[in-house]
Amino acid sequence: MNVKTAALALSALLSTAAPAAAQTLNLRVMAPASPGGGWDQTSRAIQTVLQDEGIAKPVQVFNVPGAGGTIGLAQLYNSRGDGNLLMTMGLVMVGAIQTNSSKVDLSRVTPIARLTGEYEVIVVPASSPYKTLGDLATAWKANNALAFAGGSAGGTDHMLVGLFAKAAGVDTKKMNYVPFSGGGETLAAVLGNQVAAGVAGYGEFEAQIKAGKLRALGISAPKAQAGIPVPTMKSQGFNVDLANWRGIVAPPGISSSQKAALVAAMDRMHKSKAWKDTLKTRNWTDLYMSGSRFDVFLKLEAVRTREVLKDIGLVK
């Protein structure tokens, strides 16, 4: 391609991208879970910022709960070609697709953007003999029955325990993971010394960590996190990096211009002060990526998740 041809191609690209970025959309955002949870909160935060910034008006949020989001995913797939529909989703759905043997997976939708995330922490009671992640790993290798509490089987917490077990040289198929339906139950199990350790997003344990009731041994972030005085698992010799991320996808079969408009809307939202304020207020970690980068990330995440779930014996 010569310089003149390249310049014409760039000009054409810019001329087609500009209207998409400036377009005001009329959107519906599906939260594939019950009201009040993380996907619902994210959907309603998106609704508020898109409308307040004039990026999209109106924006309607609706809930389609069930089966780790896979009921909503099937409904999204059946809305093929609808360029005004988005669905909030995340790592939990990537796992649920596999544990529920969903007929529809994320290769059947149109990825738009990854938005936020929360890193996981491994905690023990303040009275625990385990002072470091290394102490816990040593005890775990000596006693495979050591119990870890966390959220639902196959969820992010369970995956983190599986990744930690593999990094620590513990048999993943024999590990003792005790699932609970909510963070409050996990917290009670840890504080009551019913289990050796607990796993959840940092926010679930933050108050008890700061109050000195829990000791955080490690966080699953790739590097130290500002405002969170917990050493990373990697810095302690365990090659584990996991975020409970949330993102946005659209139905299959939308046009390239429709996808460009949706990506541009998310890009504009992410750059806005209102979204930055939302992240700060809700203590959400900014993990933004959009367009083709998110396409690639989703494919890689599906492969990694399947490997983890196979290791812990939840999928074949």
Side-chain angles (χ1 to χ4, degrees), residues 7-290:
L8 289 171
L10 178 60
S11 176
L13 179 62
L14 292 174
S15 66
T16 55
Q23 184 178 349
T24 299
L25 302 166
N26 176 349
L27 295 175
R28 296 163 65 238
V29 180
M30 182 202 303
S34 300
W39 288 340
D40 181 69
Q41 291 176 28
T42 301
S43 300
R44 295 182 192 282
I46 291 168
Q47 175 190 41
T48 298
V49 176
L50 288 179
Q51 290 187 149
D52 289 353
E53 294 295 307
I55 299 168
K57 285 186 179 180
V59 180
Q60 175 194 354
V61 173
F62 64 102
N63 298 82
V64 182
T70 56
I71 292 175
L73 176 63
Q75 184 169 313
L76 186 82
Y77 175 70
N78 290 329
S79 301
R80 183 178 185 86
D82 186 347
N84 295 313
L85 176 62
L86 292 169
M87 181 182 74
T88 304
M89 45 73 72
L91 179 59
V92 170
M93 182 180 288
V94 179
I97 287 166
Q98 301 185 36
T99 55
N100 293 330
S101 300
S102 173
K103 292 181 180 178
V104 180
D105 62 30
L106 294 169
S107 69
R108 307 281 190 96
V109 303
T110 305
I112 301 299
R114 185 180 72 177
L115 300 173
T116 65
E118 185 176 23
Y119 292 109
E120 301 269 294
V121 288
I122 297 176
V123 299
V124 295
S127 60
S128 171
Y130 312 126
K131 306 298 184 186
T132 68
L133 209 55
D135 292 343
L136 181 60
T138 299
W140 201 10
K141 282 188 284 187
N143 178 12
N144 214 164
L146 217 62
F148 285 73
S152 58
T156 310
D157 303 343
H158 198 174
M159 284 191 269
L160 181 67
V161 176
L163 288 168
F164 178 37
K166 192 169 184 178
V170 172
D171 187 339
T172 54
K173 288 187 172 62
K174 293 181 180 178
M175 66 189 201
N176 185 7
Y177 181 79
V178 184
F180 290 98
S181 60
E185 293 179 9
T186 300
L187 178 61
V190 179
L191 290 175
N193 288 295
Q194 298 169 30
V195 294
V199 178
Y202 175 75
E204 296 274 7
F205 294 141
E206 182 178 16
Q208 287 71 28
I209 292 169
K210 289 182 175 178
K213 294 180 180 180
L214 293 177
R215 181 184 304 121
L217 301 184
I219 189 168
S220 64
K223 60 183 180 180
Q225 297 296 292
I228 302 180
V230 181
T232 67
M233 298 178 74
K234 283 190 170 184
S235 71
Q236 300 176 75
F238 301 96
N239 189 24
V240 177
D241 174 359
L242 185 72
N244 185 14
W245 57 267
R246 297 185 184 118
I248 281 285
V249 296
I254 65 173
S255 68
S256 57
S257 61
Q258 286 174 318
K259 178 178 180 179
L262 293 172
V263 170
M266 290 298 107
D267 286 347
R268 287 179 64 196
M269 181 189 78
H270 174 252
K271 291 174 183 175
S272 71
K273 181 180 183 298
W275 183 251
K276 289 177 171 59
D277 289 344
T278 298
L279 296 178
K280 186 174 181 181
T281 300
R282 294 180 178 269
N283 200 26
W284 290 344
T285 300
D286 187 358
L287 294 178
Y288 193 76
M289 66 166 62
S290 64

